[in-house]
Amino acid sequence: MAETVRCVRGILCNFRSFLHTEMLLALLVLHVVSPFYNTAAVEILRPRGVSLLHKPFYDESKPFTCLDGSATIPFDQVNDDYCDCKDGTDEPGTAACPNMKYYCSNKGFTPKTIPSSRVNDGICDCCDGTDEYSGLILCEDKCREMGAVELEQRRKQAEVINKGFQMRQNLVADGKQVRQDREAKLNALKEEKQVEETKKQEAQAAKEAAEAPEKEAVDKHKKAWEEVKAARELEKQKEAGTAAFAELDLDGDGLIKLEEFQTHLEFDDDVDGEVTEEEAKTHLGDVTEVDLDRFLTESWPKIKDLYQGEKDKAKAPPAEEPTKGDTDEPPSEDPVPPPTDEEEEREEEEEEERFEEDDNDDEVEDEDDDDDLDDDLDDDYPDEEEEPDVDMTKDEAKPDEDEMPEYDEETKQLIAAADQARAEYTEANKKVNDIDTQIRQLEKQLGTDFGPESEYSSLDGQCFELETKEYKYKLCPFDKCTQSPKHGGSETTLGRWEKWAGPEENKYIAMKYTKGQNCWNGPDRSTEVRMTCGIENKLLSASEPNRCEYVFDFETPAMCTQEVPTNPEFTHEEL
């Protein structure tokens, strides 16, 4: 039985060797016929699909041991299109084993590995064409052409990176200098604040010392003025009450009686057109009569706001007379009688005299027209510097009796001294507040992480914009991100600076902005800013991959952390 198996195995081996020989002859013919077909000479030096790095495992002088150690087979069974090893390592150059990888040398370009299932599938996966050696199709070697394009792109990219790196060096130097300047300024401001605080305390003490005598003098002056006003008001009320008493005392007997009081309808509480004895008695002070002294002390203070004297009645507006032709009002019972003949003649004579006087005035004006022409023009266009004459009457020139009189000279001096002290304190307090504001700003800047070498400090205080079809996006590093409609509308905050949010090994490749405006029926908006190397600070793109979560791409020289070769080459294991 064993011999039968070995015989069958031998037949298969011989058949595989025959196929292998025939395939090599076919490939040789194709190589001669087609100048575009590349058989990759390096592949002849080792089993097909194996890199030089793994060449030691494929020694043709001894049997091949599967890399997982599962079996050892004669070397001529490697790449015989039959999977002998469980890990498939005996078939790197065929599609026999599903898990195996085929190595493309791609000389002149970047080497790569592809699944072995793609070998001889009619598609050129390797740029050198070595994956399609069966001869079913002819693959042109495009590696050098593709390599030239790739190398040019890498060269340009290397130039950008290196230029950005040089710019970053300047940013680092500037950032460190800015930090040193801020620290020095902060220390200087703290020292200055101590000096200004002392001045402020001294100014406050001087202000309080100056305000004490000022307040005493001003209060004294105001108190005296209040007493004067109170005395004047008392005198006015006494005069008004005396006048009211005289008007109410109709019979002049020095007493106001109920029947006299009832003549004033303003005391008609129920507005029935009659002042009853009870109403009069209530306003008069529950008495039937009062003399002047009692009236002034008891009655007048109660009724002074209601009382309407003869002067008040005279000030009342006259009743409206009906217009001519108004049919709603009845005709007057006493029509005006027509003028007599004597009255008509007298009116005609007076009208003729007025007419003659008007004629005489017109003649005089005609004679003086030419002489007064310039004067009239001057009157129409007065000189701007001339001030109109103001005819101030004696009453207008008098000071208002209700206005408080000026302070005396001593009080004025105290007020002036207190004003000066207050002004000096205000100025000292303003200086301290200004210094505090600067200190807080510097402490905030010094507490912000501007990168391991302060290379991002130049971005602080700047904003960068990007316009799309619908929106205008704005990034203000270390402050906030915003979005506004391009064709008008309010600005929406997409997040405020929180922290650097890159991975632990390099957190400075991403920024995190949170606590933006709340989405309707959703979370607060937030933005991630992804940093890339570039030769300018520029906002490249803005998107919303998830609802209320935005992503900005931003390039800056600060991200160009190392130089690269300006003449890049492709690395091959063979080299």
Side-chain angles (χ1 to χ4, degrees):
M1 182 69 177
E3 293 179 357
T4 303
V5 172
R6 283 194 294 272
C7 180
V8 171
R9 179 72 176 179
I11 294 172
L12 290 175
C13 289
N14 292 333
F15 181 69
R16 282 199 297 263
S17 298
F18 173 77
L19 289 177
H20 186 67
T21 303
E22 293 295 324
M23 186 175 294
L24 289 177
L25 290 175
L27 290 176
L28 180 61
V29 172
L30 288 174
H31 179 72
V32 173
V33 172
S34 176
F36 297 102
Y37 187 80
N38 179 23
T39 58
V42 293
E43 292 292 345
I44 299 175
L45 301 177
R46 59 183 179 274
R48 190 181 301 277
V50 176
S51 66
L52 189 60
L53 181 64
H54 295 105
K55 174 63 172 65
F57 299 106
Y58 296 85
D59 187 353
E60 298 180 11
S61 62
K62 58 184 179 180
F64 175 76
T65 300
C66 302
L67 298 186
D68 63 355
S70 59
T72 299
I73 59 176
F75 195 83
D76 59 1
Q77 295 181 19
V78 174
N79 281 341
D80 64 350
D81 205 21
Y82 183 86
C83 193
D84 297 293
C85 299
K86 292 181 179 179
D87 61 358
T89 52
D90 64 312
E91 299 295 321
T94 72
C97 298
N99 300 325
M100 194 54 191
K101 297 291 185 180
Y102 182 89
Y103 178 81
C104 303
S105 296
N106 292 345
K107 187 175 182 180
F109 192 55
T110 305
K112 70 175 182 178
T113 58
I114 61 173
S116 294
S117 59
R118 297 182 183 179
V119 174
N120 292 324
D121 62 351
I123 299 175
C124 302
D125 295 290
C126 303
C127 67
D128 59 7
T130 55
D131 60 313
E132 298 297 323
Y133 59 83
S134 66
L136 296 177
I137 63 169
L138 301 178
C139 294
E140 180 182 358
D141 187 349
K142 297 182 178 180
C143 289
R144 296 192 181 278
E145 179 183 346
M146 294 171 62
V149 174
E150 179 71 14
L151 288 176
E152 180 62 19
Q153 292 177 350
R154 291 189 184 184
R155 184 187 64 79
K156 292 181 179 180
Q157 185 179 11
E159 291 178 354
V160 170
I161 293 174
N162 291 338
K163 184 176 180 180
F165 179 77
Q166 295 300 321
M167 296 174 67
R168 183 183 187 277
Q169 298 301 100
N170 295 332
L171 293 176
V172 169
D174 292 344
K176 290 181 178 179
Q177 185 62 49
V178 167
R179 184 172 184 84
Q180 292 176 2
D181 293 343
R182 286 172 176 169
E183 291 174 345
K185 186 175 180 180
L186 179 61
N187 293 331
L189 284 172
K190 288 182 177 180
E191 294 178 0
E192 184 181 356
K193 180 182 177 181
Q194 294 179 350
V195 175
E196 295 300 331
E197 280 282 7
T198 302
K199 293 181 179 180
K200 174 184 173 181
Q201 294 173 1
E202 293 173 352
Q204 184 175 5
K207 178 177 78 73
E208 293 173 354
E211 286 177 339
E214 175 206 36
K215 183 178 185 302
E216 182 179 355
V218 169
D219 289 347
K220 182 179 179 181
H221 181 88
K222 289 182 177 179
K223 182 178 180 181
W225 170 238
E226 292 297 330
E227 292 175 353
V228 170
K229 286 199 301 181
R232 288 181 181 177
E233 181 63 23
L234 183 62
E235 185 63 27
K236 287 181 181 180
Q237 292 300 326
K238 184 177 180 180
E239 291 177 358
T242 302
F245 184 88
E247 291 180 355
L248 289 169
D249 184 12
L250 298 178
D251 57 9
D253 62 350
L255 295 173
I256 298 177
K257 295 176 279 296
L258 287 180
E259 58 269 20
E260 293 174 328
F261 204 77
Q262 288 178 266
T263 60
H264 281 253
L265 292 178
E266 59 265 32
F267 303 118
D268 179 15
D269 293 337
D270 57 7
V271 197
D272 61 354
E274 180 183 0
V275 180
T276 64
E277 286 188 3
E278 288 298 325
E279 290 173 334
K281 192 174 181 180
T282 299
H283 289 290
L284 201 56
D286 291 331
V287 295
T288 57
E289 60 182 21
V290 293
D291 58 10
L292 177 59
D293 291 338
R294 188 170 182 179
F295 177 78
L296 292 176
T297 56
E298 298 181 9
S299 304
W300 178 242
K302 297 179 181 179
I303 68 171
K304 64 181 181 179
D305 294 331
L306 292 175
Y307 178 73
Q308 293 183 1
E310 296 299 327
K311 293 182 179 180
D312 296 328
K313 293 176 181 179
K315 294 178 182 178
E320 295 183 0
E321 296 183 1
T323 58
K324 190 175 183 179
D326 190 348
T327 58
D328 294 338
E329 296 292 336
S332 175
E333 295 180 357
D334 298 325
V336 178
T340 62
D341 294 339
E342 294 178 358
E343 290 175 344
E344 289 182 352
E345 291 177 359
R346 190 181 303 112
E347 289 178 0
E348 290 177 358
E349 290 175 359
E350 289 176 356
E351 186 174 353
E352 288 178 358
E353 289 176 1
R354 286 195 301 271
F355 183 77
E356 291 176 357
E357 289 176 359
D358 292 338
D359 288 343
N360 292 334
D361 292 341
D362 290 340
E363 291 177 0
V364 174
E365 289 176 1
D366 291 338
E367 291 175 359
D368 295 340
D369 278 346
D370 294 339
D371 296 332
D372 297 337
L373 180 61
D374 294 336
D375 295 337
D376 292 339
L377 291 173
D378 292 339
D379 292 338
D380 292 339
Y381 302 92
D383 193 323
E384 293 181 357
E385 297 181 356
E386 291 182 1
E387 295 183 359
D389 294 333
V390 180
D391 183 15
M392 295 185 65
T393 64
K394 293 182 179 180
D395 292 339
E396 292 175 338
K398 289 182 180 179
D400 189 350
E401 292 183 354
D402 293 333
E403 288 185 0
M404 185 175 67
E406 291 186 355
Y407 297 108
D408 57 47
E409 288 302 321
E410 182 179 357
T411 304
K412 288 181 178 179
Q413 292 177 3
L414 292 174
I415 293 174
D419 287 342
Q420 179 66 25
R422 280 189 287 267
E424 291 176 357
Y425 171 77
T426 300
E427 182 63 24
N429 186 57
K430 182 177 181 300
K431 286 184 179 180
V432 172
N433 291 337
D434 290 344
I435 292 173
D436 275 336
T437 301
Q438 296 180 61
I439 288 176
R440 286 194 298 270
Q441 180 66 19
L442 286 171
E443 288 177 341
K444 178 182 177 182
Q445 291 172 332
L446 289 171
T448 301
D449 186 356
F450 291 125
E453 298 179 285
S454 300
E455 62 270 29
Y456 295 98
S457 61
S458 63
L459 300 179
D460 185 31
Q462 296 193 62
C463 291
F464 306 91
E465 294 185 354
L466 171 70
E467 288 190 4
T468 62
K469 292 182 178 180
E470 298 182 4
Y471 297 103
K472 179 187 292 184
Y473 294 93
K474 182 187 292 185
L475 167 64
C476 300
F478 309 104
D479 186 9
K480 63 180 180 179
C481 301
T482 62
Q483 175 198 64
S484 56
K486 189 174 179 180
H487 303 292
S490 59
E491 186 177 73
T492 301
T493 301
L494 304 184
R496 297 187 179 279
W497 162 256
E498 180 183 350
K499 62 180 180 179
W500 292 99
E504 185 177 354
E505 62 273 13
N506 187 7
K507 67 178 182 178
Y508 297 102
I509 64 172
M511 289 179 164
K512 191 66 176 178
Y513 293 76
T514 58
K515 299 180 181 178
Q517 286 182 232
N518 183 262
C519 282
W520 184 83
N521 199 26
D524 292 342
R525 291 174 172 84
S526 63
T527 302
E528 179 184 3
V529 180
R530 297 171 181 173
M531 315 289 283
T532 57
C533 170
I535 59 175
E536 62 178 323
N537 296 317
K538 186 177 181 181
L539 183 57
L540 301 176
S541 66
S543 60
E544 186 181 4
N546 299 309
R547 183 170 181 262
C548 306
E549 296 180 0
Y550 298 82
V551 174
F552 287 4
D553 289 313
F554 182 77
E555 70 172 17
T556 172
M559 275 295 296
C560 303
T561 56
Q562 61 182 3
E563 288 185 298
V564 296
T566 54
N567 293 315
E569 296 180 356
F570 295 107
T571 301
H572 284 74
E573 296 173 359
E574 293 81 4
L575 303 179

